[in-house]
């Protein structure tokens, strides 16, 4: 870090590159945005992007202050996109007040991003239970350990609680904590961005229009 009078070694303003992977054309679009999303997600996996299912999840608090954090997408279909989290977390509390949510998949290694807007609804206990028990046992125990987003004094608090609960749940199933759950984001719009040469990027937005989707090209 430098103050204004010094030139930093790495000038962020000089960080730029050309996007030359080829564009996104109308003929490449699918009728349903989830089909194109799936195609891009597969390509993100093939390209070995770390955490291809990681999405930046934006919510707002009761004062309109936006917050973002990375969360893993765990399921998607025509009913929406699903993620799991602690129900006492900041994001879950914010969603209680305001269901509006934005998800962003930062696949910039492929010169791409996908932005989803929608509303988040709590998953049923049955759905949560099914997913919870499909997780590795240590992850299930970790869910019990962390009162996510609460303030803690040291890491040791977590580690000793983890060991204590590992002992406790050595035999049998780990029960689902009442404070752990998931959300389904019903999709209102999906925007696909593909970097193009000379900053002439391609953007297409799908917006729900009854049972079908209205598609528009956006200026980059
Ligand atoms: C790669 C990655 C994956 C993550 N996946 C999840 C997830 O699936 N669920 C979750 O609650 N937090 C996940 N987190 C942690 C969140 O980013 C965040 O720290 C946490 O959910 C608390 O957020 P909040 O205080 O805004 O509610 C992940 C973080 C990273 C970097």
């Amino acid at each position: 870090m430098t103050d204004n009078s010094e030139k930093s070694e790495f000038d962020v303003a000089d960080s730029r590159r050309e996007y030359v992977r080829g564009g996104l054309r109308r003929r490449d679009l699918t009728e349903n945005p989830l089909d194109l999303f799936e195609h891009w997600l597969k390509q993100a996996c093939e390209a070995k992007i770390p955490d291809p299912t990681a999405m930046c999840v934006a919510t707002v608090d009761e004062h309109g202050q936006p917050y973002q954090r990375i969360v893993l997408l765990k399921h998607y279909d025509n009913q929406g996109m699903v993620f799991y989290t602690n129900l006492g977390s900041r994001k879950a509390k914010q969603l209680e007040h305001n269901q509006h949510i934005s998800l962003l998949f930062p696949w910039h290694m492929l010169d791409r991003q996908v932005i989803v807007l929608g509303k988040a609804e709590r998953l049923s206990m049955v759905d949560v239970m099914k997913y919870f028990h499909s997780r590795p046992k240590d992850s299930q125990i970790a869910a019990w350990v962390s009162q996510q987003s609460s303030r803690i004094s040291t890491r040791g608090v977590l580690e000793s609680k983890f060991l204590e609960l590992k002992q406790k749940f050595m035999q049998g199933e780990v029960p689902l904590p009442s404070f752990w759950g998931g959300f389904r984001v019903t999709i209102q719009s999906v925007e696909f961005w593909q970097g193009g040469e000379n900053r002439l990027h391609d953007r297409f937005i799908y917006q729900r229009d009854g049972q079908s989707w209205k598609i528009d090209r956006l200026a980059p």
Side-chain angles (χ1 to χ4, degrees):
M1 268 292 269
T2 56
D3 62 31
N4 286 342
S5 59
E6 283 177 56
K7 173 115 176 93
S8 69
E9 257 173 56
F10 172 67
D11 189 344
V12 291
D14 287 339
S15 175
R16 61 172 71 85
R17 64 186 171 93
E18 272 297 320
Y19 301 105
V20 293
R21 286 172 185 272
L24 179 66
R25 301 288 181 261
R26 267 209 186 249
R27 62 175 176 271
D28 304 323
L29 303 182
T30 53
E31 235 172 83
N32 183 326
L34 282 181
D35 292 327
L36 182 56
F37 173 80
E38 184 163 80
H39 181 56
W40 278 22
L41 177 59
K42 278 187 186 152
Q43 290 182 328
C45 296
E46 284 159 14
K48 305 224 175 317
I49 288 180
D51 301 320
T53 57
M55 50 189 189
C56 183
V57 174
T59 53
V60 288
D61 73 7
E62 64 272 33
H63 308 294
Q65 169 67 55
Y67 286 78
Q68 295 165 289
R69 75 291 282 164
I70 302 283
V71 170
L72 298 181
L73 174 73
K74 288 296 172 183
H75 179 77
Y76 63 92
D77 59 23
N78 283 321
Q79 313 308 314
M81 293 185 164
V82 169
F83 66 88
Y84 294 90
T85 194
N86 183 302
L87 298 175
S89 67
R90 194 168 50 184
K91 73 182 91 47
K93 286 183 183 154
Q94 291 173 354
L95 288 170
E96 264 172 39
H97 285 281
N98 186 339
Q99 289 180 287
H100 292 99
I101 191 164
S102 170
L103 314 174
L104 185 149
F105 295 84
W107 295 325
H108 44 85
M109 265 177 70
L110 294 177
D111 304 346
R112 288 173 173 169
Q113 70 179 349
V114 176
I115 303 171
V116 174
L117 300 185
K119 281 189 180 173
E121 283 163 14
R122 280 265 297 275
L123 288 176
S124 72
M125 177 84 117
V126 176
D127 285 340
V128 175
M129 186 91 83
K130 232 188 275 171
Y131 174 70
F132 184 77
H133 290 300
S134 76
R135 303 176 84 209
K137 195 163 182 183
D138 280 357
S139 307
Q140 296 179 31
I141 294 169
W144 275 99
V145 170
S146 171
Q147 300 291 326
Q148 194 177 53
S149 313
S150 63
R151 281 169 172 70
I152 53 172
S153 51
T154 61
R155 181 180 170 82
V157 177
L158 295 176
E159 284 171 355
S160 55
K161 188 138 183 236
F162 183 77
L163 289 177
E164 179 196 320
L165 290 173
K166 213 171 151 115
Q167 194 69 26
K168 181 171 172 190
F169 296 130
M170 196 139 65
Q171 310 290 337
E173 270 197 348
V174 180
L176 172 71
S178 60
F179 52 82
W180 202 85
F183 290 88
R184 174 177 289 110
V185 177
T186 55
I187 301 172
Q188 280 154 2
S189 74
V190 189
E191 182 193 325
F192 294 87
W193 186 98
Q194 172 79 62
E197 285 180 54
N198 303 315
R199 295 294 181 268
L200 300 182
H201 315 302
D202 291 308
R203 294 173 66 193
F204 285 97
I205 186 161
Y206 288 70
Q207 281 168 302
R208 212 175 259 290
D209 186 16
Q211 291 307 305
S212 56
W213 296 90
K214 177 175 162 288
I215 307 177
D216 289 298
R217 183 185 264 281
L218 301 178

